[in-house]
Amino acid sequence: MTQELVSLTIIMAVAAVSPIVAQLIPGKFIPQTVLLLAAGTALGPYGLGVIEVNDAVKLLNELGMAFLFLLAGYEIDPKRLAGHQGKVGLLTWGITLGLAWLVVTFLPFFTKQGINGVATVIALTTTALGTLMPILKERNLEGTPIGDAIISYGTWGELGPILAMAILLSTRTGWQTMLVLGAFLAICLLCAMLPTKALRTGHRLYRFLTENANTSSQTLMRLTTFLLIFLVTISALFELDAVLGAFAAGFILRYIIPDGSKSLEMKLEGVGYGFLIPVFFVVSGAAINVRAVAGRPALLVAFIVMLMLIRAVPVYVALSLDKRKNPLSSHHRVTVALYCTTALPIIVAVTSLAVKVGTMQSDTASTLVAAGAITVFLMPLLGSITYQVADVHPVTAVREIAHTPSDWLTIVREHAQVRALLHHQDRLKRMAETLESLEKQEGLNGLDSRRAELVERARLEIDRQLKELGLDPQLTTQLPHNYRYPKN
């Protein structure tokens, strides 16, 4: 027990320090997740060896992964799946799966590396939506057109591989697999329908649960945790991956509470991101054999490149062909595609399963997990760069400079000002929405009134800058993200 406590103490010390370090890094371009993974690699069995991945830590690791996928499933709005963008996301993921199968099956490189199996195909089609959500929140992308597109395409990048794992990696025959999945689906439907019916009828039990949700009983939190562990246990009994049960629990929770619950969300995020999810990322890092990865650099680089070609390119093409419904600039489409190429949790799950059944070597699994860990750092970094570049409209700027080279400095400054205005408007919109919701709920107090005054001052400042640019504030109060500065 002492060793288990020592390992857990070190893991939680890493979890406590990581956000502080991430905050101190200039530009904040390294997500906390990357620091957790790096620390796990350095301190784990293949590094300094101070973290021992024993049974107790493994259990917490499984619960951390379960909470991560619970929150990922909870973020999915069923209406989004059935909507236009959801359908396009599903079609795009299907194309991604087909491309991955063709590449892994017929490209000699993968055959020589001994990873031309289904597990590799699935790993190349994934998006780490659960990992991306805190990053999107940190970078204020949640609720923006770009954030919505990332979630829409990323949803199928997470849900698709989970279903593919259950169907394609099963050791049962086809009809047995379908029978087991049917039974699991029936249990999930039962778990979703009973609370929904109680909610609609105003059942006494439902009233009790809601009335005691924020007392020491914490009824809704306990019920949610029970739902999660119950479905993960059912997954284990049916010999399905725990990821399926956890994701289903989050999806069911969103179905029961379609409009969400801020109180419950805060508690789930507190337990998840405050304790269990950092354990999962540190232990995932500890599973990476650095020597094995260093011995196969070609596989590491090739897998990351293939992720970008197989996952990012179809997403970019889909957004480009769907410009009427998703009028994003080319740079913003690149941003969405790069974010959707972030992969890790599914890679951890699928490679672990492949190693367990003997279809993949542990050294190969370490390399693929390391590649997934690198994407958690690399793809959001590249995405943030393209996002910042997009509003400057470099192509238009280059054309303008080519037309009047002597005015290059003025042109660059004007494009930078337009980008600043766009970002001001994003912040103003979010602040205005917050104030509006507060006013409806509780009325404005003194502090909120001061915030409203700041918003008004910022609006006046934007109008002043627009006039300096020669633009009419009355016509450009809703400056679109695809705005092009008029040529000289």
Side-chain angles (χ1 to χ4, degrees), residues 147-159:
D148 290 343
I150 292 170
I151 293 173
S152 293
Y153 285 87
T155 293
W156 284 109
E158 189 126 65
L159 180 57

Side-chain angles (χ1 to χ4, degrees), residues 3 92 126 135 151 156 205 233 251 277 280 303 305 313 337 364 439 441 444 471:
Q3 183 57 49
T92 304
T126 181
I135 296 175
I151 293 173
W156 284 109
L205 177 60
T233 303
F251 196 75
I277 293 175
F280 166 70
F303 191 80
V305 171
V313 172
T364 303
E439 190 174 15
Q441 292 173 11
L444 292 173
L471 301 174

Side-chain angles (χ1 to χ4, degrees), residues 10 69-70 75 90 139 195 303 323 401 415 422:
I10 295 171
F69 281 98
L70 168 78
E75 292 290 344
L90 173 59
R139 297 181 178 179
F303 191 80
K323 283 194 288 187
I401 291 171
H415 279 262
L422 288 168

Side-chain angles (χ1 to χ4, degrees), residues 85 179 182 230 243 285 304 341 351 358 397 439 442 445-446 475 487:
Q85 205 166 41
L179 186 63
F230 172 70
V243 168
I304 294 173
T341 313
T351 54
E439 190 174 15
E442 302 172 358
N445 55 32
L475 301 177
K487 292 185 178 181

Side-chain angles (χ1 to χ4, degrees), residues 67 213 217-226 264 267-269 271-272:
F67 256 87
S217 299
Q218 292 293 323
T219 48
L220 287 181
M221 184 64 187
R222 293 185 188 185
L223 195 61
T224 301
T225 307
F226 165 72
L264 181 60
K267 294 168 189 174
L268 289 173
E269 290 180 356
V271 174

